[in-house]
Every structure is written in structure tokens, then in C-alpha cells.
Amino acid sequence: MENLLMIMMIIGALGVLSQWIAWRTRLPAIVVMAIVGLLAGPVFGIINPEADLGDLYGPLISIAVGIILFEGSLNLDFREIKGMRKPVFRIVTVGAFLAWIFGSLAAHYVAGLSWAVAFVIGGIFIVTGPTVILPLLRQAKLKPRAAAILKWEGIVVDPFGALLAVFSFEFIKFLTIETVTFDAVIMFLLASILAGIIGAAFGYGIGWSFERGLVPEFLKSPVVLVTVIMAFALSDFIMHETGLLAVTVMGMTIANMHISAISDMRHFKENISILLISVIFIMLTASLDRETLLSIFDLNIMLFIIMMLFVIRPLTIFLSTMGTNLEFREKLLVGWIAPRGIVALTVSAYFANVLIDAGFQDAEILTSLTFGLVFGTVLAHGFSIGWLSRKLGLSTDTKDGVLFVGSNKFSANFAKALQDLGVPVIITDASSSRLTHATKAEVPYEHEEILSEQMEYQLDMTPYDYMLSVTEFDSYNTLVSSTFKPEYGKEHLFQLPLQTNEGDQLSEVSHHISGTVLFDGQVTWTSLNEKINDGFIFEKAPITESYTYDDFLNDRSEEDVILAIVKQSGSVNFFTPENNLTAEPGDQIISLAKPE
């Protein structure tokens, strides 16, 4: 037991460490996790999760994949693909079918597999999945259309890859094994339909009970988690690999019921999914043996991977999206990005054993073939998605962007000063009259309530790394900070200091629910706007070798307010009472300064 606990501790620590390294170095997280897993497993032999965990290994991975798939499907709101339903539908239906056929042909003629094994593995390889797609989308900052297509394909097609493999295997047994009847194939189809019904029923039940207050707030996340496991296990008990379909349908059902508690569910499940993705990837890569790792470099396997990357994937996307409103550059990006991940690894490992037991000895290379494709696509797509999306104009600006909540003289002119230095900015406000300040300053704005449900589909927040809540209402600023803290984190979420003599006088508000207080902690919405009325201007002071940060501090007036430093790299650092910022040559300091 002590050894088992130690192994689980090491796996968890390596998974979280991999995510942290990826965050610090801005490398693709899945690439870092793959490297760390290989170093801990086949290279140095520190752990071998498959052997160490024994019978727990398979069920743990299956349940984790089910939870990850459910978390991804919670984001599949049909409002997100308004105007893109045709290309998305084509890709997840016609595209998936073509990928299965072409992949099977390549597996037979290039990898040298028998027809039976080729069609099983061809079904598995249509999947991409949220475990690999979602981290890449977060890293690359893709524009909404391209991101939505890749996300929907990855999540919707994921369970169908496993189902296609099961269907192929059942049909092959019907054709080659005399004892297997056509009834087995029919039973598989009925079990798949039943899994969909189970998922929809569980999802509707969750949504219905939550909306009617039958479940208290503190129990909602645990109830959802247990229900996901129940739906997955029940469907998988009826027919192996149908559990993935059940949890996907369950998540989509809840997402499109538009229940008020869905945002809390997403935050909870997203945190769990990040941990599970990290742990599972470490487990799978660390369980490889050196022979399997070396066999990836077999000529037939490498040729098959090249075919999948450069021929089959682009061909299926271009054929399936003919006659849709998808732009050529979008087809090009989607036709290149298709990394395989955890579902492909787990399902192929299962079928490798099943096919060998059924007498198909060439299935021995399935593990090597799958790991080769996973590593090949993860490395190729992980390192190229950012570069290619920027070249095609399908990614947002790589510089740190700033989203201002509240339009007034201060926010509009501050946004203009940042924009002049190349920082992407936008102002949101529900009042058209207040937005006249943004119009006069000639900065982008969105006429929408930031807390409304529609805002999620109205405005792409991906380009904006920082949110500044700068309205005159302390309570509203705090509410905005509390609402967006799960997405931004307190270090990227700012609000003006509380007003002591005006407004709501929330002097006792907990710092746990508020954003980081801006500037010196004393200036308020009123004082900032009064300074502008008194003629104070936004100055941009460049720091050089001859004009240092100390020189700037000596030159400023006591009434000036230092606001931010725009670094030479393009990142933005805001002054707060807690931090002690300094500027270096090449940086620019923005301040609200008294005119000379």
C-alpha cells in the first residue's frame, strides 16, 4: 500500500510539474508531459504505472477519460457555432467517415496490416480529443471560428472513434468467425443508441433538478461528478466503449439547457480535467517499454505517420468541407491540426490484446503504431499551431491584451495610451451614453453587459490577458472580479481601490472575492476622473540607458499616478500596492501626470 501511495504521489507531482514547466516556458503542455513521462518511465525507470498500479490501471484511465470528455462536451453549446453548423456537421460526419476509410487503407497498404486489423485501427485514429486539442487551443489563442471547429471535432468525434473500432471488430468477427451471428452487430448498434439515451436522460435529470433547487449549491459539483461516473460505467457495462458516447451526450444536453449553474460546473470540471490530463499522459508514456519506443522508428510505421499527417488529414478536411463557407486558410489550418491523444492510446491498447486473442497476430504492432502517431502529431502540431495560425492570420495578437470593464474618461484615455504602444485593448459597457468616451478616444468597444450570458458568444476574450474593472460602483467591480476569477486568476484581474466616502463603502469586503487593487491603493474612480477634468494627461515615458527609471521617479510630481509599464517584449505590468515594479531600458511607463 505504501509503495502504491508513493507511485500515485510521483505521478501526480510529475503531471502538475509538467503543466507548470509548460506555463513558464510557453511550450505545448502535451509535449512537456510526453517528455517527462518518457524520462520517468522507459528512460530512467523511476516508475512503470501499468505494472505498479496493476488492475487499477485500466479502470482509472477509463473513468478519467470519461470525465475529461464530459468536461469538454459541457462547452458544446450550439450557439457557439452559429453560422458554422454546416462545416462542423460535415467534418464530424463525412470527414470522420472519410478519415476512417483513408486511414484504414493506409494502415493496410503502408503499415502492412491485415484488412481486419486495419479497419479497427482506422476507426481509432479518427479521434483527436479534448485532452490534446484544448491545451493547444489555449496556447495558440486561435480566433473563434477556427477554435470552435477544432474543439467541436475533437470532442464530438472522440467517442465515435472508439465506437467505430468496436463496430469494425464486431463486423469482422461476423465475417470471419462462424460462431458470431449478425445479432451481435445489431446488439452493438442498439447498445450505442441506448448509451446516447442514458447520457441524455442523466443530463436532463441533472439540469432539471438543479433549476428547481432540488440540489444545494455545495452538493452540485459532487453530484455531477458521481453522475458522470454512473453514466459512463452503466453504458460501458452494457457494451464496452459506449461509455464515452454517454458522457459526451450528457455534457451536450446540459450545455444546451442553459442552466444557471453551468459556469460553476465548468470551473470545477476544468480544474479536475487539467489534473487528470496531466496524470494520464504521465501514466501512459511512463508505461512504455524501450522496445515499443524503439519500434516506432520502423520504416513502415514512419511512412504511415507521414501519410496520416500530410495526405489523409488534409484530404478528408478539404473533401468534407466542399461547398461550405469555410475559408481556404481555415481549411488549411484545420487540415493540419489533428493531434491524437489519450483515447487513441487507451482504445488501441485494449484492441491490440483483443485482436491478438482472436488470432490476428499482426495486431502486435498496434501499440507502437499508435504511440508513433501520438508522438508524431503531438510534436508536429504542438510546435507548429502557433506559428501557422499567425501566418494564416487565424490567431489573435500574441501581445498581452487588456479588457476594460466600464467606459469613462479615465478608462478610455488609459486604453488609448496602451493602444498607442501596440497593446490590444477593448472597453465593454452596457450604456451607450458612457461608451461615447471610448468612441471619442477611438478605441475598440463592445456595447454589452460583461456579466450577461450572451457576452460569452458576443465577444472573444482570448486576446485579453488582463481584465480591469474600473466603473464607479465598488460592488459591481467586486462582482465582476469574483465572476471572472476562475478564468483570469487574481494576478490578471484588477479593480480600482474602494471609495471610502462615496458609493457602497465596501471597506470590509474580503480580498478573496475582489480583484487585485490597482495603483497606489489610494486613488479612486472619482479622484482619477477629477484629475483628468483638471487637465492631467496620460504620459508615455520611454526608459533608456541615459534616462533611467530612477530619473523618471525624480522627475514626477507627487500628484502624478504611475499606472503601468509596457515591457519591451509587449507584456504589461500594472502598478499595485503590493508589487515593486522597475523599468528597464526599452520599457515605456504610462502615468497620469500633471501638465508642466
Side-chain angles (χ1 to χ4, degrees):
M1 178 61 72
E2 290 180 359
N3 183 54
L4 188 61
L5 287 173
M6 182 62 68
I7 294 299
M8 294 177 72
M9 181 273 289
I10 293 173
I11 292 170
L14 290 176
V16 175
L17 177 64
S18 300
Q19 291 278 5
W20 183 82
I21 292 173
W23 169 71
R24 290 293 296 176
T25 60
R26 299 205 171 192
L27 288 171
I30 46 180
V31 173
V32 177
M33 289 186 286
I35 294 172
V36 170
L38 289 175
L39 292 175
V43 176
F44 293 114
I46 300 171
I47 54 173
N48 184 347
E50 188 173 11
D52 297 331
L53 297 177
D55 294 338
L56 289 174
Y57 180 80
L60 282 175
I61 288 183
S62 296
I63 291 175
V65 170
I67 294 171
I68 293 166
L69 205 55
F70 170 76
E71 188 274 326
S73 61
L74 270 181
N75 297 304
L76 298 183
D77 192 317
F78 287 113
R79 291 176 297 183
E80 185 184 39
I81 54 170
K82 186 178 180 181
M84 294 190 299
R85 293 194 180 190
K86 188 175 181 180
V88 169
F89 179 77
R90 288 271 199 89
I91 289 172
V92 301
T93 54
V94 178
F97 177 76
L98 291 175
W100 178 36
I101 299 301
F102 293 154
S104 302
L105 292 173
H108 176 70
Y109 288 110
V110 179
L113 297 174
S114 63
W115 282 113
V117 178
F119 270 93
V120 172
I121 201 68
I124 296 171
F125 286 164
I126 72 170
V127 305
T128 53
T131 58
V132 282
I133 281 294
L134 296 184
L136 286 186
L137 297 183
R138 281 194 291 266
Q139 169 213 348
K141 291 188 177 181
L142 291 187
K143 289 185 177 178
R145 279 173 58 95
I149 291 170
L150 286 170
K151 181 176 74 175
W152 273 74
E153 181 201 15
I155 296 169
V156 173
V157 173
D158 221 34
F160 289 113
L163 293 176
L164 267 179
V166 176
F167 172 77
S168 301
F169 182 63
E170 294 293 336
F171 196 71
I172 288 163
K173 287 196 297 183
F174 168 69
L175 294 177
T176 58
I177 303 174
E178 295 180 0
T179 56
V180 178
T181 65
F182 189 68
D183 293 344
V185 180
I186 299 297
M187 283 300 296
F188 161 73
L189 296 174
L190 292 175
S192 300
I193 295 171
L194 182 59
I197 294 172
I198 290 172
F202 276 52
Y204 180 79
I206 286 287
W208 183 86
S209 61
F210 281 15
E211 285 295 271
R212 281 156 182 78
L214 300 178
V215 180
E217 286 296 325
F218 73 93
L219 271 181
K220 284 182 177 179
S221 292
V223 165
V224 171
L225 183 61
V226 171
T227 307
V228 170
I229 296 173
M230 286 173 58
F232 178 86
L234 182 60
S235 300
D236 223 50
F237 176 76
I238 296 170
M239 174 67 72
H240 195 62
E241 299 301 341
T242 59
L244 298 177
L245 177 63
V247 296
T248 303
V249 173
M250 179 180 169
M252 289 180 66
T253 302
I254 296 174
N256 289 280
M257 289 179 72
H258 308 140
I259 62 176
S260 57
I262 193 169
S263 59
D264 294 331
M265 258 191 282
R266 283 176 182 161
H267 299 153
F268 176 70
K269 292 292 177 295
E270 185 177 1
N271 291 336
I272 290 180
S273 293
I274 290 173
L275 177 62
L276 291 178
I277 289 170
S278 309
V279 167
I280 291 176
F281 231 83
I282 295 294
M283 287 172 62
L284 290 170
T285 51
S287 297
L288 275 176
D289 55 55
R290 294 184 182 181
E291 290 72 23
T292 302
L293 198 59
L294 292 173
S295 64
I296 291 173
F297 298 99
D298 179 81
L299 180 61
N300 287 347
I301 291 178
M302 294 183 70
L303 287 175
F304 173 77
I305 295 169
I306 292 170
M307 280 285 293
M308 293 292 287
L309 281 169
F310 295 100
V311 180
I312 293 172
R313 173 64 179 183
L315 188 62
T316 57
I317 294 300
F318 275 88
L319 288 177
S320 62
T321 56
M322 289 176 63
T324 67
N325 63 349
L326 215 59
E327 298 178 12
F328 176 78
R329 57 182 184 153
E330 292 173 328
K331 293 181 181 180
L332 206 60
L333 180 68
V334 176
W336 169 243
I337 302 299
R340 274 60 170 191
I342 290 169
V343 173
L345 288 172
T346 54
V347 177
S348 68
Y350 166 76
F351 276 104
N353 295 327
V354 170
L355 287 165
I356 290 171
D357 292 341
F360 300 99
Q361 294 304 313
D362 56 328
E364 290 179 350
I365 71 165
L366 285 192
T367 302
S368 302
L369 194 69
T370 307
F371 270 104
L373 185 63
V374 168
F375 288 141
T377 55
V378 162
L379 290 171
H381 300 151
F383 281 112
S384 65
I385 185 171
W387 173 84
L388 182 61
S389 60
R390 288 193 295 272
K391 288 292 183 183
L392 296 174
L394 292 175
S395 69
T396 56
D397 201 313
T398 54
K399 294 182 179 179
D400 291 350
V402 182
L403 190 157
F404 288 85
V405 179
S407 178
N408 49 66
K409 287 182 180 180
F410 169 73
S411 63
N413 287 282
F414 188 16
K416 178 63 175 174
L418 288 168
Q419 186 183 52
D420 291 343
L421 295 178
V423 177
V425 296
I426 194 167
I427 296 176
T428 68
D429 204 304
S431 168
S432 56
S433 61
R434 287 195 294 265
L435 282 170
T436 55
H437 298 295
T439 307
K440 289 178 183 177
E442 298 181 341
V443 293
Y445 63 86
E446 185 71 38
H447 183 199
E448 191 69 60
E449 170 56 58
I450 190 71
L451 297 176
S452 72
E453 187 181 0
Q454 276 302 117
M455 193 64 174
E456 184 177 350
Y457 308 100
Q458 195 78 15
L459 174 66
D460 176 28
M461 296 188 184
T462 307
Y464 309 107
D465 303 83
Y466 301 98
M467 178 181 285
L468 272 62
S469 192
V470 289
T471 73
E472 64 266 44
F473 304 110
D474 293 334
S475 57
Y476 184 80
N477 292 339
T478 303
L479 178 60
V480 170
S481 298
S482 175
T483 302
F484 287 94
K485 187 170 286 187
E487 281 88 359
Y488 281 87
K490 186 166 183 176
E491 66 276 8
H492 284 195
L493 200 63
F494 299 89
Q495 69 178 80
L496 289 176
L498 300 179
Q499 305 189 72
T500 56
N501 299 318
E502 300 179 38
D504 307 302
Q505 300 185 32
L506 299 177
S507 57
E508 300 301 319
V509 70
S510 170
H511 67 88
H512 295 296
I513 64 171
S514 62
T516 302
V517 174
L518 282 166
F519 316 135
D520 63 7
Q522 301 301 317
V523 295
T524 63
W525 182 92
T526 302
S527 63
L528 287 168
N529 282 280
E530 282 180 351
K531 285 180 183 293
I532 295 174
N533 291 333
D534 291 341
F536 278 63
I537 59 173
F538 286 83
E539 282 191 349
K540 299 180 282 290
I543 301 301
T544 63
E545 295 287 350
S546 57
Y547 186 75
T548 65
Y549 182 57
D550 290 334
D551 295 331
F552 167 79
L553 293 178
N554 292 329
D555 289 346
R556 64 184 288 263
S557 165
E558 289 185 0
E559 297 178 70
D560 293 356
V561 181
I562 308 178
L563 305 175
I565 298 176
V566 179
K567 306 295 287 184
Q568 192 171 14
S569 62
S571 63
V572 183
N573 294 335
F574 296 98
F575 281 86
T576 71
E578 289 82 19
N579 63 21
N580 187 22
L581 299 179
T582 58
E584 300 170 349
D587 298 345
Q588 300 247 18
I589 302 176
I590 300 177
S591 62
L592 184 58
K594 188 176 183 178
E596 296 179 1

